[in-house]
Amino acid sequence: MHPRSKAVVAVAAATVVVALVAVLVVRGVLWPNRLAAARYEVRGVDVSSYQGAVDWPRLAAQDVDFAYVKATEGSGFVDDTFETNLRGAQEAGVLVGAYHFFSFESPGRAQAEHVIATVPAQDGLLPVAVDVEHYGEFFDDPPDPETIRAELRVLVATLREHYGVDPVIYATQAAYSRYVAGDFRDSPLWIRAVYLPPRVSDGREWTFWQYSHRDRLDGYDGEESFIDMNVFRGDLADLRLLRPGG
């Protein structure tokens, strides 16, 4: 075969391989971070109404140790599966906590009061998590960092006072760099890094890592066929110590 023909065949073969890998990643069959995440023994999910009805015993049987379930967003929205998911996870023996999606458009105090009105201060629950990420128009036009930090400080302080522990802060790497880095040191960090292991901009160690947003497990029937997967840095005893009273 002529050298040029060999090169053409090699390029074509490489293109086919890359395309096949891309398809497998899109379908959630392959995921870049799974090997790196496998070194951590405590594994969990986060869910919302997008996963529909969750069969928690079935989910727990797939090596799921903990879960965060969506409770609230902004100062008025409540996820309609929150109470069912919270109760179902507890009954299945899964360590569970609630998460709140932080709005750039609502005062921190109003958001905190909304969380407090929705999420019980219940023994055994993991600390409330606050999800800080860009959304909608704010991807292209992010709000002022100092304004957002000020509202986030109010939210965190109010939740700490009510629940007796610092809330967990979940953030994408971009949102972390803009709104969290260098601050909120007492809050456990939950970082989203779905293609490569986390590289936190201020060198801080993460406590939770969301390593995939396109996994598939058995046990839910919602409009979203994928589920977010996370690991915890530590063992189950360490995870239990995050709860109020340890």
Side-chain angles (χ1 to χ4, degrees), residues 76-152:
F77 175 83
V78 177
D79 188 289
D80 59 14
T81 62
F82 168 59
E83 291 186 358
T84 301
N85 278 332
L86 188 70
R87 182 172 60 253
Q90 289 176 306
E91 291 174 352
V94 175
L95 288 169
V96 61
Y99 80 85
H100 167 75
F101 190 95
F102 180 75
S103 170
F104 296 143
E105 301 157 275
S106 299
R109 174 72 63 180
Q111 295 191 56
E113 290 171 352
H114 181 44
V115 174
I116 289 166
T118 306
V119 180
Q122 187 179 103
D123 289 343
L125 293 185
L126 294 171
V128 169
V130 177
D131 178 346
V132 183
E133 58 182 283
H134 299 99
Y135 58 91
E137 65 189 78
F138 298 112
F139 281 108
D140 295 328
D141 186 20
D144 173 64
E146 286 311 308
T147 300
I148 297 304
R149 279 180 187 265
E151 298 300 338
L152 190 55

Side-chain angles (χ1 to χ4, degrees), residues 181-206:
D183 208 340
F184 309 103
R185 288 287 182 174
D186 292 327
S187 284
L189 173 61
W190 179 5
I191 197 75
R192 182 184 191 270
V194 297
Y195 297 111
L196 295 170
R199 300 184 69 179
V200 183
S201 59
D202 60 356
R204 180 176 170 186
E205 283 197 346
W206 54 266

Side-chain angles (χ1 to χ4, degrees), residues 16 19 26 36 49 76 95 113 116 122 133 160 189 209-210 224:
V16 169
V26 167
S49 59
L95 288 169
E113 290 171 352
I116 289 166
Q122 187 179 103
E133 58 182 283
R160 180 197 306 120
L189 173 61
W209 168 27
Q210 185 186 97
E224 177 56 77

Side-chain angles (χ1 to χ4, degrees), residues 25 31 36 41 46 55 68 76 101 123 143 154 161 184 196 207 239:
V25 167
W31 199 252
E41 62 181 86
D46 58 273
D55 182 337
Y68 267 95
F101 190 95
D123 289 343
V154 172
E161 181 179 358
F184 309 103
L196 295 170
T207 301
L239 181 57

